[in-house]
Amino acid sequence: MNDNTSTIDHKAVIQLAKALVNPLRIKMIIYLASANMAMPKSFQRALKISQPQVSKHLKILRSAGIFKMERVGGVNIYRLNTLMEDTLISMMEAVSN
């Protein structure tokens, strides 16, 4: 048996798992996947949640590496981290089966 535990970043896995445990954050991921990019206001409108809630959850999703943020003309634009996209899709498919 091959033991790959030495190459796994356990802190990153735990952070990712914590980010994915919240149903609202799952909705945010799904929304961003369909929108391709979004501003915080977009999340507020689409998910009918407050600005503080959006900020809190965006911070968690960024810290977990799921979302990346780019500042354009004084506005924060969020996108899915393409490096995480395949991992997230695989994890969500596994859970749904």
Side-chain angles (χ1 to χ4, degrees):
M1 184 191 286
N2 186 5
D3 185 9
N4 291 326
T5 57
S6 62
T7 61
I8 297 172
D9 182 349
H10 294 287
K11 283 185 178 181
V13 171
I14 291 168
Q15 195 171 21
L16 179 61
K18 285 181 178 180
L20 295 174
V21 76
N22 185 287
L24 181 56
R25 289 194 285 271
I26 297 296
K27 288 178 185 177
M28 292 175 78
I29 293 167
I30 292 167
Y31 173 76
L32 190 56
S34 67
N36 193 33
M37 60 184 238
M39 297 178 291
K41 240 342 171 206
S42 304
F43 289 105
Q44 279 181 258
R45 287 187 199 123
L47 302 173
K48 296 175 178 41
I49 57 177
S50 69
Q51 183 275 324
Q53 282 181 296
V54 169
S55 293
K56 172 187 168 187
H57 294 294
L58 285 174
K59 180 179 179 181
I60 292 167
L61 290 164
R62 280 185 63 208
S63 294
I66 299 169
F67 284 6
K68 59 183 183 176
M69 192 259 319
E70 178 183 357
R71 192 147 179 91
V72 179
V75 176
N76 294 337
I77 304 292
Y78 290 86
R79 300 180 198 282
L80 278 179
N81 182 347
T82 54
L83 298 175
M84 292 293 291
E85 196 168 355
D86 291 337
T87 302
L88 289 170
I89 290 168
S90 297
M91 289 175 74
M92 288 183 185
E93 285 175 348
V95 170
S96 67
N97 290 331

